[in-house]
Amino acid sequence: MLKQTILSSCLALSLAACATVPSVEVTRFHNGSPAQTGSIAVQEIPGNPDVGLEFRTYAGAVSQELQRVGFTNAGDAGSDYVALVGFRRSFRPTGAARNDKPVSVGVGGALGSGGYSGLGLGVGINLSGKPKDIVSTELQIQIRRRSDQAAIWEGRASTESREGTPESQPRAVAQKLAAALLGGYPGESGRTITVK
């Protein structure tokens, strides 16, 4: 019975550790009280470094969150506002510089005071594999009035997660960053906050 209790506790702790969700750093800027209703089109920010199919994932997440705060999706033309969206993903190696050889051999010897001698051989095998990189992702949104191209709101959000985890997948990251950045829209201007 004690073994089952200990096993259950260890399993619960390991699952709780896996469910750790990285936090998001959010900064927003606006002047006064920007619009919270009207039609809006989501477009790629000019010069976005990460162009391609992945942009659709981020644009979709931003569009969904804009609708949640009160805007209506207008497609590409004829909207009151334009949300310019850009994102960047980068990878950073983890851990200290290490020996990437999978097998290491060590030999040692000793001579004791009583005339005893010894020789030892140790073999180490690294089965852990290469440590996963840290994925840093940043989402940037700028909302402009279409009539005069004036910026009425902008913000950026960033997070980090370990490569290969569910939290590092583009869809999950896009939704998390868009929700953190647009949650509580328009938010306090000029202040960086942490969203869990």
Side-chain angles (χ1 to χ4, degrees):
M1 181 66 175
L2 182 60
K3 285 183 182 179
Q4 277 185 326
T5 305
I6 292 173
L7 183 60
S8 298
S9 298
C10 289
L11 182 60
L13 285 173
S14 64
L15 289 175
C18 290
T20 303
V21 178
S23 60
V24 178
E25 296 292 317
V26 173
T27 308
R28 304 168 220 184
F29 300 96
H30 56 83
N31 50 2
S33 55
Q36 297 189 15
T37 60
S39 58
I40 195 163
V42 176
Q43 299 175 355
E44 191 165 11
I45 199 165
N48 183 36
D50 284 332
V51 295
L53 295 176
E54 197 172 357
F55 172 74
R56 291 185 196 163
T57 303
Y58 288 86
V62 169
S63 179
Q64 181 179 8
E65 291 301 320
L66 285 169
Q67 289 175 52
R68 190 169 293 164
V69 299
F71 290 97
T72 3
N73 186 5
D76 282 335
S79 62
D80 300 323
Y81 301 95
V82 176
L84 298 172
V85 176
F87 71 96
R88 179 178 32 242
R89 288 171 60 92
S90 59
F91 298 84
R92 185 179 75 237
T94 58
R98 48 181 232 130
N99 183 358
D100 281 6
K101 297 177 183 169
V103 178
S104 62
V105 178
V107 179
L111 180 61
S113 62
Y116 299 104
S117 63
L119 183 65
L121 176 68
V123 178
I125 300 174
N126 182 358
L127 299 175
S128 64
K130 185 178 177 184
K132 301 289 186 183
D133 290 345
I134 297 295
V135 182
S136 298
T137 309
E138 181 179 306
L139 174 66
Q140 177 184 359
I141 304 172
Q142 187 178 81
I143 299 176
R144 291 185 169 270
R145 203 171 24 241
R146 189 179 287 276
S147 61
D148 59 2
Q149 293 299 307
I152 62 165
W153 184 93
E154 64 181 83
R156 65 180 172 271
S158 61
T159 190
E160 292 185 339
S161 54
R162 193 166 297 277
E163 185 181 19
T165 61
E167 298 86 29
S168 70
Q169 301 308 307
R171 181 184 232 47
V173 173
Q175 290 172 343
K176 183 170 183 66
L177 289 174
L181 186 52
L182 291 166
Y185 175 86
E188 188 176 343
S189 185
R191 183 171 170 236
T192 300
I193 61 170
T194 301
V195 178
K196 298 283 184 182

